[in-house]
Amino acid sequence: MATDPRERFQQILVQLSALVRSDPPAALGQIQKVMSQVGPEPNLLHLAGLAHGRVEEPTRAIELMQQSLQSHPPQPEVHNNLGKAFERAQQLEEAEYHYRQALSLRENFVQAQHNLGLLLLSQQRFDEAEAELLHALAGASRKVSLLTSLGNLYREQEHYDQAIDYYLQALAEDGNYVNALHNLGLSYKLTERPQQAIGYYQRAQRLAPNLAEIDLNYGNAEFELGHYQQAERCYLNAIAKEPASVLAHETLAELLWQLDQKDRLTESYDRVLRDQPALMPLHLSRIKLLLNCEQFDAAREALMVA
């Protein structure tokens, strides 16, 4: 049992940090209680910012973490997490600035370097992203997520052999890493090896049964192989998990068109829109489909309903 007040406070911070990860709303309540006793202490402000970020309130997260930086010697962890908050708020220049600030304070801060690499990748600044990710990889003790990110970097540039090599390295470290399994399947599909892709999609699907994107890409591989019934099941599974996915509905319609089942083209749309009529992107996709099929009266009626 800690008797020193500083040691006791550090224990409280550790407990709150764990609560932020497991139950952010509860953490916010506990942080407020502690701050009512000790005031807006910088570590508490940082944790409160993290909790707000986890409940999708990036603006408040940014405010609190900026306050933490103003009242505390610069902390690389705060800059890194502030970068993530700015990234969620689509303020990418600010995000990059704070990732770089974190790295200026701690040169081998792997998490900040990984985050910076991913940000640069999202902006298609491939050479810069590669440099950051490779540097982070060299300093990382657990490499699976960085190896997967490098695979994604090369896949984005259509360097599929390099991408596949990095995904396989990631899976050698952790054979159940879903992101690597899924993206390895996608890379095999994109290099016209759908049969190889299917095995990886199936493994990813078993490990992450709620991810609609896996079902969709698994269906695409089955579609390419001419396994139409299995492809349809995959697309329907994707729609069941993510009813608003325009891409899943459109891909299923493409399959039904190829099978000459034109009377079923809008079946999945109709089923979802009966229960969720406010999904405007789905209405518009359905109308576009009807126009492409030259069902002009039906499209006009659908436009009036939407």
Side-chain angles (χ1 to χ4, degrees):
M1 175 89 53
T3 56
D4 185 284
R6 289 171 296 182
E7 186 178 344
R8 176 59 184 149
F9 185 65
Q10 288 303 314
Q11 289 182 350
I12 291 171
L13 290 176
V14 170
Q15 293 166 0
L16 289 173
S17 180
L19 193 58
V20 166
R21 291 191 293 273
S22 64
D23 189 347
L28 285 169
Q30 292 300 314
I31 291 166
Q32 287 299 324
K33 286 182 182 178
V34 178
M35 281 204 289
S36 70
Q37 298 171 14
V38 303
E41 195 275 338
N43 291 295
L44 293 173
L45 290 168
H46 180 207
L47 288 174
L50 283 175
H52 278 286
R54 286 181 173 270
V55 294
E56 303 300 328
E57 295 175 351
T59 301
R60 184 59 177 151
I62 288 166
E63 291 172 357
L64 290 163
M65 284 191 270
Q66 286 177 324
Q67 289 177 41
S68 176
L69 283 175
Q70 290 165 4
S71 56
H72 201 282
Q75 297 292 317
E77 292 84 0
V78 181
H79 277 293
N80 179 55
N81 290 322
L82 189 50
K84 288 295 291 182
F86 273 117
E87 193 170 350
R88 289 192 189 98
Q90 295 300 306
Q91 298 182 49
L92 303 186
E93 288 186 11
E94 290 287 345
E96 181 175 345
Y97 168 79
H98 284 286
Y99 292 144
R100 293 193 185 280
Q101 285 296 106
L103 289 165
S104 73
L105 293 167
R106 185 187 301 162
E107 184 179 357
N108 295 316
F109 189 176
V110 169
Q111 186 180 13
Q113 199 140 38
H114 193 178
N115 289 336
L116 176 58
L118 292 176
L119 176 66
L120 296 169
L121 173 57
S122 74
Q123 298 173 314
Q124 297 189 328
R125 293 160 62 182
F126 296 124
D127 290 344
E128 294 173 84
E130 181 181 42
E132 298 296 341
L133 292 173
L134 287 171
H135 191 178
L137 181 67
S141 56
R142 177 172 165 77
K143 301 180 183 292
V144 62
S145 62
L146 276 157
L147 290 166
T148 303
S149 294
L150 281 159
N152 294 342
L153 168 77
Y154 294 118
R155 180 173 56 78
E156 285 282 318
Q157 299 173 85
E158 300 183 1
H159 300 165
Y160 295 118
D161 288 342
Q162 285 175 280
I164 287 168
D165 179 61
Y166 273 104
Y167 294 138
L168 289 171
Q169 288 184 58
L171 291 171
E173 182 166 310
D174 181 352
N176 292 326
Y177 196 67
V178 171
N179 197 343
L181 287 166
H182 181 205
N183 284 295
L184 179 55
L186 185 57
S187 296
Y188 279 130
K189 165 67 171 59
L190 291 169
T191 52
E192 300 182 358
R193 290 176 277 181
Q195 190 63 58
Q196 284 178 270
I198 283 172
Y200 290 103
Y201 286 142
Q202 289 173 334
R203 286 170 61 185
Q205 188 184 54
R206 285 193 294 271
L207 291 162
N210 295 321
L211 284 181
E213 186 181 5
I214 296 173
D215 291 284
L216 180 58
N217 288 323
Y218 179 14
N220 290 340
E222 296 285 13
F223 191 174
E224 186 171 323
L225 288 166
H227 302 162
Y228 299 130
Q229 287 185 334
Q230 180 61 28
E232 182 176 349
R233 280 195 293 271
C234 290
Y235 296 145
L236 290 171
N237 285 339
I239 290 166
K241 294 167 189 176
E242 196 174 317
S245 171
V246 169
L247 183 58
H249 288 278
E250 290 180 347
T251 312
L252 175 57
E254 182 183 344
L255 169 66
L256 295 172
W257 179 272
Q258 184 157 319
L259 296 176
D260 200 28
Q261 297 183 23
K262 298 182 178 61
D263 57 321
R264 297 183 57 211
L265 289 179
T266 64
E267 194 175 81
S268 66
Y269 291 92
D270 298 338
R271 185 164 53 249
V272 171
L273 289 170
R274 271 196 301 270
D275 297 328
Q276 301 181 59
L279 293 175
M280 186 55 63
L282 212 56
H283 279 289
L284 296 176
S285 175
R286 182 178 182 275
I287 290 166
K288 183 178 74 172
L289 175 63
L290 292 169
L291 289 171
N292 289 340
C293 298
E294 299 184 353
Q295 297 182 31
F296 300 119
D297 291 340
R300 190 179 301 110
E301 181 181 347
L303 185 59
M304 293 176 66
V305 170

